[in-house]
Amino acid sequence: MPILEGQGVTKFFGGLAAVSNVDFHVDQGEIVGLIGPNGAGKTTLFNLISAAFPISSGEIRFKGQKLNGLKPHQICKLGVARTFQETKVFANMPVLQNVLVGAFFGSPNRVSWADAAREATQALEFVELSAMSTIPAKDLTLVNQKRTELARALVTKPELLLLDELMAGLNPTEVSESMELVTRIRDRGITILMVEHVMKAIMGICERIMALHNGEKIAEGTCQEISCNKTVIEIYLGEEAHAGN
Amino acid sequence: MDISKFTSKKFLATAGVLLAILVFLATFPTYGSNSAVGIGLTILMYIILTVSWVMFSGPTGYMSLATAAFFGIGAYTCAFLYQKSGPLLPLPAVIIAGGLVSFIFAFVVGLVTLRLKGMYFAMFTFGFVMLLNQFMVYYELNILGARGQRVFPITNQTAFYIVLVILVLTLLAAYLIRRSRLGLAMQSIGENEEAAAHMGVNTTMVKVLTFAISAFFMGVVGATMAPRWEYVDPSVAFNMLYSFMPILMAVFGGMRELYGPVIGAAIFAYSERTLRLRFPYHYMLAFGIALILIIIFLPGGLTGLVPNLKDKLSGLIARLRKGGQSEQNANT
Ligand SMILES: Nc1ncnc2c1ncn2[C@@H]1O[C@H](COP(=O)(O)OP(=O)(O)OP(=O)(O)O)[C@@H](O)[C@H]1O
Ligand SMILES: [Mg+2]
């Protein structure tokens, strides 16, 4: 059974359909990639799932429950966590405090101080940031800010994690470390939906890929299928290849 | 290094200083002159308004100009319940009622307005004070038939003691909120509201609740000042100065630590009182210049200096030590 399912998902900004009649699903335990050129609607789809905006039409279900009409904090408590394309750490708060927010508020139960502190410390260990727990988040490098966001999301005990361009702006070493991290998260039983432009990362860890263009889903399939898909090559991969040259 | 010894020493020192201040304040009305007690009362009133303003606006960054509204609601609640012609309730009940009515108003207003961001929120809260002011003017003239309310009087000394109790409770509440998960939630909202919401923080609830808690303390002070002044009218109760002064005092003192607003309000209110008597035409000019200097040179406010100085001092000591060592090395 799919853990996340969307039917006819549509979002208008004024006259522009940023996401247009998209059907999709993510199965339990999968790592699914979401690709597409700039402005394709990938982030907007994440924003609809996490209820940053209300959906214009269509519906999204998480574990069979309709998400329409819920607020972002309720989505988080249901077990859907996310990171942001433009990092949104709590800049002036120490890293540990950043993660504590997730620990206290991310789960539906009331969490004690001792438990929150323990879980936050564990999450920081998991993303290998323990050494930086007292540093204000704004003083971290990009990769470490992204890991702070990751720890903050993980500590809410999600079943589904939405990663928006986790690898963007990272150097090759950092990219492979992050790929390894994502696989370790999946091995903990967390389903992952990730937006990524770094094709090496997508092809390396995703089991399935969806491609968006102008808000519409243009393709879906295994890595192999997608990398051979004519439309995707024309619209996206080709462009990337050119950009690469 | 034994840190626990340090902290316990520091704790004892803090507790000692606080106790000394409290004893001084609690005995002050017995030997202070009536006018000195009056000045003290005004200072304590401003400290409470500033601390309760910082309680909400400090961590969240939502600039509320509604302090005068909640102060005035408290004052008017008292004016109606504690009339000169015959109080309807005992004074403590009246004062708590003033706080509760402010709390309820803030809760409702917060639900409507805390969706507004930045300048729009500030402008709405400003408009809210104006609205209440004009409404009371209309209500008194057209429904009650006379401007202003006479309130059953209390002395400076009585008001001082009540306000002192309120101050202790306000500080206690501010301290506990800062250290609670509610404080953490407010801080995360101030840092990045969108991210906070996606981490599970019910941002609307947190903002509305703390806005209302801070309004409770503002209302309670308003309800205490009304019988002291013996008379309340809209321009007294909803005076915009009660909105602006606490902000200036908080900026002046610095908002990072709990004692920042306290010190800012104490110094500001005291010097305002004395300077205004001596230089009635120039004191505001002096304040303006002082504030500008502080904003430019001390963005953390007056108390922001403390960690700065500490850093500099420990840096200096470290350098001296190092210098001494290298000298020794050079000598050997
Ligand atoms: N809040 C908003 N208001 C108005 N238009 C928006 C908003 N968010 C996104 N859009 C528009 O919707 C379209 C899709 O944007 P979106 O951010 O989802 O693209 P994306 O696929 O994430 O692109 P990128 O790869 O550059 O991150 C764009 O045309 C964008 O300008
Ligand atoms: Mg995007």
Side-chain angles (χ1 to χ4, degrees):
Chain A
M1 191 190 96
I3 188 167
L4 184 75
E5 207 175 358
Q7 264 160 18
V9 175
T10 302
K11 178 66 187 181
F12 283 102
F13 288 118
L16 172 90
V19 173
S20 173
N21 204 22
V22 171
D23 296 332
F24 68 94
H25 70 96
V26 177
D27 288 329
Q28 179 87 47
E30 270 190 310
I31 301 182
V32 177
L34 184 58
I35 62 172
N38 294 117
K42 307 179 295 292
T43 299
T44 306
L45 185 59
F46 271 21
N47 282 335
L48 294 176
I49 298 169
S50 62
F53 310 131
I55 196 167
S56 300
S57 68
E59 69 172 49
I60 300 175
R61 277 192 305 272
F62 175 67
K63 296 201 292 181
Q65 180 183 351
K66 236 173 111 166
L67 299 185
N68 297 40
L70 293 185
K71 290 275 166 50
H73 71 270
Q74 295 171 313
I75 304 277
C76 175
K77 285 184 173 31
L78 279 180
V80 182
R82 69 171 293 180
T83 65
F84 299 91
Q85 182 173 350
E86 315 276 341
T87 50
K88 291 189 191 330
V89 289
F90 305 128
N92 294 301
M93 290 160 62
V95 171
L96 182 65
Q97 240 71 6
N98 268 261
V99 183
L100 273 177
V101 174
F104 274 125
F105 300 100
S107 72
N109 313 320
R110 195 179 163 84
V111 181
S112 75
W113 279 89
D115 286 345
R118 187 172 41 77
E119 285 164 14
T121 315
Q122 281 169 358
L124 282 177
E125 253 163 51
F126 184 79
V127 300
E128 291 162 15
L129 271 189
S130 304
M132 322 223 158
S133 61
T134 58
I135 299 175
K138 64 168 188 258
D139 295 336
L140 297 181
T141 56
L142 180 66
V143 63
N144 285 339
Q145 291 197 356
K146 293 198 168 201
R147 286 184 182 190
T148 304
E149 282 205 355
L150 206 50
R152 202 172 64 169
L154 286 173
V155 82
T156 68
K157 303 192 199 95
E159 288 178 58
L160 173 68
L161 183 59
L162 310 173
L163 302 174
D164 199 349
E165 304 207 12
L166 185 67
M167 323 271 175
L170 305 192
N171 68 35
T173 327
E174 292 165 348
V175 168
S176 8
E177 282 170 6
S178 300
M179 284 169 65
E180 193 254 344
L181 195 54
V182 172
T183 342
R184 277 202 288 139
I185 294 172
R186 195 268 316 272
D187 293 344
R188 282 171 56 166
I190 297 170
T191 309
I192 291 166
L193 176 59
M194 57 191 279
V195 170
E196 205 55 70
H197 283 297
V198 180
M199 288 315 292
K200 179 186 142 215
I202 287 274
M203 295 299 176
I205 52 180
C206 293
E207 277 123 35
R208 202 153 57 79
I209 295 175
M210 290 194 301
L212 288 184
H213 177 52
N214 285 338
E216 290 172 19
K217 190 166 89 175
I218 52 167
E220 182 176 356
T222 60
C223 297
Q224 195 110 57
E225 287 163 0
I226 289 294
S227 50
C228 302
N229 185 301
K230 256 202 166 134
T231 339
V232 177
I233 292 172
E234 231 167 73
I235 291 175
Y236 184 59
L237 296 179
E239 176 200 285
E240 287 278 294
H242 281 299
N245 296 340
Chain B
M1 191 169 69
D2 189 358
I3 291 177
S4 68
K5 206 167 149 191
F6 247 103
T7 47
S8 72
K9 232 186 212 169
K10 199 178 150 195
F11 174 80
L12 283 180
T14 316
V17 169
L18 286 181
L19 199 67
I21 294 176
L22 195 62
V23 169
F24 165 72
L25 287 175
T27 51
F28 185 60
T30 58
Y31 58 80
S33 71
N34 194 35
S35 77
V37 174
I39 294 175
L41 178 62
T42 309
I43 294 174
L44 294 190
M45 173 191 92
Y46 272 121
I47 295 178
I48 296 167
L49 290 180
T50 307
V51 171
S52 42
W53 181 82
V54 171
M55 207 185 270
F56 169 74
S57 291
T60 62
Y62 276 77
M63 171 98 149
S64 166
L65 292 176
T67 310
F70 302 126
F71 179 90
I73 289 171
Y76 258 100
T77 305
C78 176
F80 288 135
L81 294 176
Y82 208 63
Q83 293 159 346
K84 175 121 190 182
S85 48
L88 303 176
L89 290 173
L91 189 57
V94 169
I95 289 170
I96 292 168
L100 287 179
V101 175
S102 281
F103 181 96
I104 293 165
F105 263 88
F107 201 91
V108 175
V109 167
L111 276 180
V112 181
T113 62
L114 281 166
R115 293 165 209 286
L116 303 173
K117 294 268 148 72
M119 194 161 65
Y120 298 98
F121 175 74
M123 285 177 54
F124 187 96
T125 52
F126 183 79
F128 180 56
V129 181
M130 295 295 144
L131 180 77
L132 286 177
N133 188 337
Q134 291 309 310
F135 173 78
M136 281 320 293
V137 169
Y138 171 87
Y139 183 78
E140 285 188 337
L141 284 183
N142 294 288
I143 313 269
L144 301 180
R147 187 183 163 104
Q149 306 294 317
R150 304 214 152 273
V151 191
F152 195 85
I154 58 175
T155 60
N156 267 341
Q157 283 71 18
T158 312
F160 189 95
Y161 280 123
I162 297 172
V163 166
L164 186 58
V165 171
I166 298 171
L167 174 63
V168 170
L169 295 177
T170 311
L171 285 173
L172 199 65
Y175 177 78
L176 291 177
I177 288 176
R178 265 169 175 266
R179 297 176 46 117
S180 71
R181 62 190 80 205
L182 195 58
L184 187 68
M186 276 202 287
Q187 218 186 339
S188 72
I189 289 173
E191 291 288 337
N192 192 313
E193 188 160 353
E194 197 188 343
H198 287 290
M199 300 319 302
V201 177
N202 185 347
T203 51
T204 311
M205 204 53 217
V206 168
K207 287 186 293 179
V208 170
L209 189 64
T210 46
F211 189 56
I213 293 174
S214 79
F216 175 85
F217 292 105
M218 298 166 181
V220 159
V221 186
T224 312
M225 295 312 281
R228 169 64 209 92
W229 291 333
E230 302 177 29
Y231 172 81
V232 168
D233 75 17
S235 66
V236 170
F238 300 107
N239 186 340
M240 273 315 290
L241 267 189
Y242 298 129
S243 290
F244 293 131
M245 284 305 221
I247 302 177
L248 297 185
M249 292 167 175
V251 170
F252 184 74
M255 288 180 265
R256 282 230 340 225
E257 305 291 337
L258 182 56
Y259 60 83
V262 177
I263 290 174
I267 295 179
F268 205 111
Y270 178 76
S271 40
E272 197 246 24
R273 213 26 214 262
T274 43
L275 286 178
R276 190 172 44 167
L277 293 180
R278 246 184 251 172
F279 313 104
Y281 302 108
H282 298 108
Y283 81 98
M284 260 299 162
L285 188 70
F287 271 117
I289 293 171
L291 261 178
I292 290 170
L293 290 179
I294 282 189
I295 288 169
I296 294 175
F297 294 109
L298 297 176
L302 218 51
T303 53
L305 265 178
V306 176
N308 255 352
L309 284 179
K310 257 192 204 161
D311 278 359
K312 286 222 174 96
L313 215 63
S314 53
L316 194 70
I317 291 171
R319 239 181 303 143
L320 285 179
R321 279 204 187 139
K322 241 199 212 154
Q325 265 172 12
S326 55
E327 247 168 55
Q328 273 178 359
N329 289 346
N331 287 344
T332 51

